[in-house]
Amino acid sequence: MRVTMDLELKDIPGQLVLALRPISELGGNIVSVTHHREKKTPRGLIPVQIAFEIDEARVDTLVSRLKDDGVVIAQIGRDRLRERAVVILVGHIVHSDIRDTIDQIDGTGYAEVNDLAMAMPGIEQYSSARLIISAIGKKELSNAMELLRNIAHEKGLLLIERVKTEVS
Amino acid sequence: MLKKVRILIVGFGVIGRGVARSISEKREFINGKYGIDFELVGIGEREGSIVCEKGIDPMEACMLKSLNEHPHWKEGAKAIDIIKGVDADIVIEATPTNIDTGEPGMSHMMAAFETKKHVVTSNKGPLTVAYTRLKKAAEENDIKFMFEASVGGAMPVLNMVRGTLQANEILGIEGILNGTCNYILTRMMTEGLPYEHVLSEAQELGIAESDPTYDVEGIDTACKLVILANSIFDMDISYKDVSVTGITNITSEALKLAYDDGYVIKLVGEIQNNNKPAVAPHLVPKDHPLAVGGTLNIISIRTDLAGEITVTGKGAGAVETSSSILSDLISIANEIP
Ligand SMILES: NC(=O)c1ccc[n+]([C@@H]2O[C@H](COP(=O)([O-])OP(=O)(O)OC[C@H]3O[C@@H](n4cnc5c(N)ncnc54)[C@H](OP(=O)(O)O)[C@@H]3O)[C@@H](O)[C@H]2O)c1
């Protein structure tokens, strides 16, 4: 998962390495570091913002190691459900129990339906829905999509997914 | 010295006539630029044929309401017999697509190969039904077999991959290969109209056929994927190996919901790695290269060296499609001694 941290470091050499080392040692992947030597905090510390990818289970260990090393963590942001996909469903969505469809995705523990917009023009007509699905990582999102494909297939719904190619 | 290349046109409908017209209109250009002179020596139709070894004026044939008004018309003379019997270098096969049997195109092509005539075609039927068999027959007879027009109409794909992209491994293909579906989905979205309404409008405009099944159920796109899979990815698949979902269930509400989140819906055909080729409606971000509207076709080819290459163009139309057919004709003519 993606984690962002606002740290406060002492203005002596070696502090940044001290803060970053445990992240790598715990298998994390640093995405960005911004270091503001010119903006000292009232306590005379230097604010540093870091963003990294790390296994969700290791965040707590990381936090306690940083604290042990004397690094001040001013704020921590965990962007748990980072990967997002939009899909459209067409068919008898309500009759085929949209609640159950959502519960099955949410029930995975690694993915959720974040947003649902529906249009139901008439009783006998097909409804259309737009779902936004979020997951903790790429692999989890692709598993959630596979689950959704199976659900759509079973319920006789048309599932419209995004094209594979990225915009360059 | 002009090299004379004798051609036969089999199937004189929209495409057959379009090719005849372009051959006539581009005659001087092709003479001057390539030193090649295409001479039309025969036209095979369903009810009869025209054969004239001294050459038929292609424009004159185009202008006729019905070919049987032509002085050399022979009622009942079968296309297959003129393919076998007439001395010609290249056969242009442009009869209707039949994806169950491939006929009559299949027999026409085999007859051409057996009598040592090169084949250029826009007809997907035989290519979908028996690609490998045709390819083998052409090779055994040392005959050129080209079919650029069968996939993208005017939009270049096969020759581009074989020529300009020849140093690349092709990793995947994703594209909009049916102009009728693209038109319907584009209109449904911009006008907020239901499927049936836009379909009948498309039929009135001649963009959709009176029986639109082949286009709107994704069958046409699937046939094109079969041709791409076999010719570019060296697969040996047929129509039944493609997973196919058409556009008949797409609602204007679905298009609106997609649009509100930054997407359009397009019928996309794709071949990815070793996955089963698939045709299905997809969400395409509005600013994505594949988000072309109207009747346009587009294809994105993922390669190892060049990265992503995307081409777009008209997927149908008599004159437009003749561009691909003439290009194949010139390539073959250049290799004829
Ligand atoms: N139209 C396009 O823009 C386009 C683009 C790319 C590829 N294509 C493909 O190109 C091919 C031709 O398309 P088209 O639009 O020209 O179709 P078309 O207008 O229906 O023309 C086909 C012609 O072939 C004739 N024909 C039927 N059976 C025959 C036989 N046994 N022997 C000789 N002629 C026969 C038909 O005669 P009758 O009218 O008497 O049946 C008709 O004149 C199709 O395979 C199509 O899928 C078309």
Side-chain angles (χ1 to χ4, degrees):
Chain A
M1 99 166 116
R2 166 76 57 101
V3 179
T4 52
M5 280 185 183
D6 290 355
L7 306 178
E8 292 175 5
L9 305 180
K10 291 188 199 107
D11 193 11
I12 50 172
Q15 290 299 296
L16 188 60
V17 177
L18 190 70
L20 299 182
R21 194 188 293 132
I23 300 177
S24 330
E25 283 175 1
L26 289 168
N29 201 356
I30 295 162
V31 179
S32 118
V33 180
T34 51
H35 192 201
H36 301 284
R37 294 194 70 96
E38 72 292 351
K39 293 192 233 164
K40 285 203 180 160
T41 65
R43 279 183 282 179
L45 299 173
I46 300 173
V48 172
Q49 282 154 350
I50 56 175
F52 52 93
E53 295 279 341
I54 195 165
D55 190 338
E56 195 180 3
R58 295 192 168 161
V59 178
D60 292 338
T61 317
L62 175 68
V63 169
S64 54
R65 274 189 56 179
L66 288 172
K67 282 185 180 155
D68 292 349
D69 290 344
V71 175
V72 178
I73 303 176
Q75 214 182 79
I76 173 164
R78 303 177 196 214
D79 190 0
R80 198 176 158 274
L81 300 171
R82 238 169 65 60
E83 296 296 332
R84 170 185 183 275
V86 183
V87 298
I88 300 273
L89 285 171
V90 180
H92 293 299
I93 299 171
V94 181
H95 290 287
S96 67
D97 197 352
I98 182 74
R99 191 64 253 167
D100 164 74
T101 306
I102 295 171
D103 285 348
Q104 287 198 49
I105 302 287
D106 289 357
T108 59
Y110 54 74
E112 283 172 14
V113 174
N114 289 140
D115 187 54
L116 168 69
M118 290 230 337
M120 296 176 282
I123 306 260
E124 290 304 316
Q125 284 163 289
Y126 277 170
S127 311
S128 308
R130 182 185 66 223
L131 273 67
I132 295 177
I133 296 176
S134 303
I136 60 175
K138 283 203 163 50
K139 208 180 107 249
E140 287 79 4
L141 183 65
S142 118
N143 291 346
M145 290 302 294
E146 188 56 35
L147 173 63
L148 189 58
R149 265 174 230 135
N150 293 335
I151 298 172
H153 183 76
E154 264 169 38
K155 296 186 173 181
L157 303 173
L158 170 65
L159 174 70
I160 308 176
E161 296 178 49
R162 188 194 184 284
V163 278
K164 309 275 182 314
T165 0
E166 294 299 328
V167 187
S168 46
Chain B
M1 250 292 278
L2 277 180
K3 188 198 286 184
K4 276 226 175 301
V5 175
R6 300 153 67 79
I7 60 171
L8 287 176
I9 297 180
V10 178
F12 209 60
V14 174
I15 296 298
R17 280 171 191 266
V19 169
R21 175 178 290 269
S22 294
I23 283 176
S24 170
E25 286 175 350
K26 302 284 290 190
R27 190 164 210 157
E28 263 176 51
F29 173 85
I30 293 171
N31 287 173
K33 196 157 174 147
Y34 304 104
I36 294 165
D37 190 51
F38 289 116
E39 186 157 63
L40 181 60
V41 294
I43 301 175
E45 251 298 300
R46 192 209 294 271
E47 309 295 342
S49 298
I50 299 172
V51 175
C52 183
E53 309 252 348
K54 287 204 283 304
I56 299 163
D57 178 349
M59 195 54 98
E60 189 191 325
C62 279
M63 303 311 272
L64 297 175
K65 256 223 187 79
S66 165
L67 276 192
N68 65 17
E69 297 161 20
H70 197 278
H72 288 90
W73 173 258
K74 273 226 292 279
E75 187 77 25
K78 286 206 171 316
I80 189 138
D81 296 327
I82 73 158
I83 294 172
K84 287 184 186 156
V86 175
D87 179 21
D89 301 299
I90 310 177
V91 173
I92 299 165
E93 219 293 336
T95 61
T97 291
N98 175 321
I99 61 154
D100 297 319
T101 64
E103 295 297 355
M106 188 72 203
S107 305
H108 290 162
M109 292 175 193
M110 292 306 270
F113 296 150
E114 281 156 20
T115 54
K116 309 286 179 202
K117 295 178 181 76
H118 306 286
V119 172
V120 172
T121 190
S122 58
N123 183 351
K124 289 169 286 284
L127 290 161
T128 309
V129 174
Y131 178 84
T132 309
R133 205 170 116 211
L134 286 165
K135 195 82 192 150
K136 199 158 151 260
E139 276 163 16
E140 281 170 3
N141 287 290
D142 200 14
I143 284 304
K144 297 260 176 306
F145 179 33
M146 296 184 82
F147 37 87
E148 179 71 272
S150 67
V151 177
M155 178 183 74
V157 186
L158 302 172
N159 295 338
M160 183 180 67
V161 169
R162 192 182 32 238
T164 321
L165 295 176
Q166 60 192 343
N168 289 267
E169 188 186 334
I170 307 301
L171 307 171
I173 279 180
E174 199 168 50
I176 300 173
L177 302 173
N178 185 277
T180 307
C181 290
N182 199 15
Y183 176 84
I184 293 174
L185 293 175
T186 306
R187 281 288 288 177
M188 282 176 72
M189 184 197 68
T190 54
E191 307 304 321
L193 292 167
Y195 171 78
E196 282 76 18
H197 186 113
V198 175
L199 173 63
S200 63
E201 180 192 81
Q203 285 168 323
E204 248 165 57
L205 291 169
I207 292 169
E209 313 228 356
S210 49
D211 177 3
T213 313
Y214 192 70
D215 291 318
V216 298
E217 296 292 358
I219 302 166
D220 175 67
T221 305
C223 292
K224 290 166 176 171
L225 286 187
V226 171
I227 300 173
L228 290 169
N230 290 340
S231 62
I232 295 182
F233 294 89
D234 286 325
M235 296 183 183
D236 182 9
I237 64 163
S238 63
Y239 177 74
K240 64 174 185 341
D241 301 309
V242 183
S243 115
V244 189
T245 308
I247 62 164
T248 52
N249 288 338
I250 304 276
T251 58
S252 46
E253 295 84 17
L255 284 154
K256 169 124 184 23
L257 287 166
Y259 196 81
D260 290 346
D261 203 53
Y263 295 90
V264 291
I265 298 178
K266 300 287 178 190
L267 186 69
V268 172
E270 61 174 330
I271 305 174
Q272 306 283 359
N273 307 317
N274 292 320
N275 292 353
K276 188 173 180 167
V279 180
H282 275 76
L283 295 171
V284 178
K286 283 179 213 166
D287 58 354
H288 191 282
L290 287 184
V292 295
T295 58
L296 279 175
N297 281 23
I298 185 161
I299 194 160
S300 225
I301 302 164
R302 198 154 46 85
T303 70
D304 57 350
L305 299 179
E308 200 89 38
I309 299 281
T310 304
V311 218
T312 181
K314 297 235 166 78
V319 177
E320 292 84 350
T321 305
S322 78
S323 156
S324 292
I325 294 182
L326 260 65
S327 165
D328 284 350
L329 284 177
I330 294 167
S331 299
I332 295 176
N334 273 328
E335 292 193 33
I336 294 177

